[in-house]
Amino acid sequence: KISILSTYNGQKALIRDVIKQRCSWNPLFGDPGKITTVDRFQGQQNDYIIVSLVRTQNVGHLRDVRRLIVTMSRARLGLYVFGRFSLFENCFELTPVFSRFAKRPRELSLELDEAPSTERAADCVRNPTLSRDLHHMWSLLQGRMKSQFQEAARNIATGMSSAGVGPAPM
């Protein structure tokens, strides 16, 4: 359901390492469907796409409109782009896409109380938590993991089974 795209192989490798260290082992998160480069993702789609445009010096080869089209057109339900907006907004080749981003919120709105199976109308907002930046989002996720692990430990201590958490029954 989730793919993570980067424009560079080095960044792809770094993202894979971080996911492996911080998420893969965790039953609450696990691995995304795919972590790859934009060029390798051509012709594919997924429900949710996370795009890493983290650059510090220049726009790089994303100026190629074909790469930009692949990058921005592969999500069926949600597209999340991480990067320094100010670097890309003044690039002539990227103007059509980034002028649209300029009209949208730049903060990620998280519904922390929703479960994966929760169904709600697209315009229904319950209790959003706004993530200011990547560090804030990570601290929110760590807090969420800690409370879920504590709940699982309480359930195990009281003899209740918690689906998907803890060792598999023999």
Side-chain angles (χ1 to χ4, degrees):
K1 289 195 172 226
I2 298 173
S3 292
I4 301 175
L5 305 182
S6 171
T7 52
Y8 294 98
N9 279 319
Q11 197 172 67
K12 173 193 74 173
L14 177 63
I15 291 169
R16 277 190 179 154
D17 289 346
V18 170
I19 296 287
K20 183 178 180 182
Q21 183 180 25
R22 295 185 177 181
C23 302
S24 295
W25 59 271
N26 188 323
L28 303 174
F29 300 116
D31 285 321
K34 190 170 268 197
I35 301 171
T36 191
T37 62
V38 171
D39 292 342
R40 293 213 176 238
F41 203 69
Q42 220 161 352
Q44 300 178 56
Q45 287 186 323
N46 212 336
D47 288 347
Y48 299 95
I49 302 290
I50 298 172
V51 181
S52 175
L53 296 180
V54 180
R55 296 282 295 160
T56 56
Q57 298 297 319
N58 55 48
V59 173
H61 64 264
L62 190 62
R63 283 182 191 268
D64 182 333
V65 176
R66 293 170 297 181
R67 279 192 180 97
L68 182 64
I69 290 169
V70 169
T71 304
M72 302 301 167
S73 65
R74 300 301 156 188
R76 288 188 285 262
L77 301 175
L79 173 68
Y80 301 91
V81 180
F82 289 86
R84 196 173 69 199
F85 185 78
S86 62
L87 178 68
F88 297 96
E89 69 183 332
N90 294 321
C91 177
F92 175 75
E93 295 89 346
L94 307 180
T95 300
V97 171
F98 281 86
S99 63
R100 287 184 178 190
F101 283 146
K103 297 173 187 171
R104 298 189 137 313
R106 294 197 190 165
E107 294 176 317
L108 181 61
S109 179
L110 303 170
E111 294 284 348
L112 296 175
D113 296 325
E114 277 190 356
S117 60
T118 303
E119 290 189 26
R120 64 176 166 93
D123 60 347
C124 175
V125 178
R126 292 190 180 144
N127 186 22
T129 300
L130 295 180
S131 174
R132 296 181 302 271
D133 56 30
L134 194 58
H135 296 292
H136 183 234
M137 182 174 67
W138 180 243
S139 69
L140 290 169
L141 289 174
Q142 283 182 314
R144 181 82 171 169
M145 285 187 333
K146 181 180 177 183
S147 65
Q148 288 183 339
F149 283 138
Q150 288 171 338
E151 181 181 339
R154 280 192 301 273
N155 288 341
I156 291 169
T158 60
M160 296 174 58
S161 175
S162 182
V165 179
M170 302 264 177

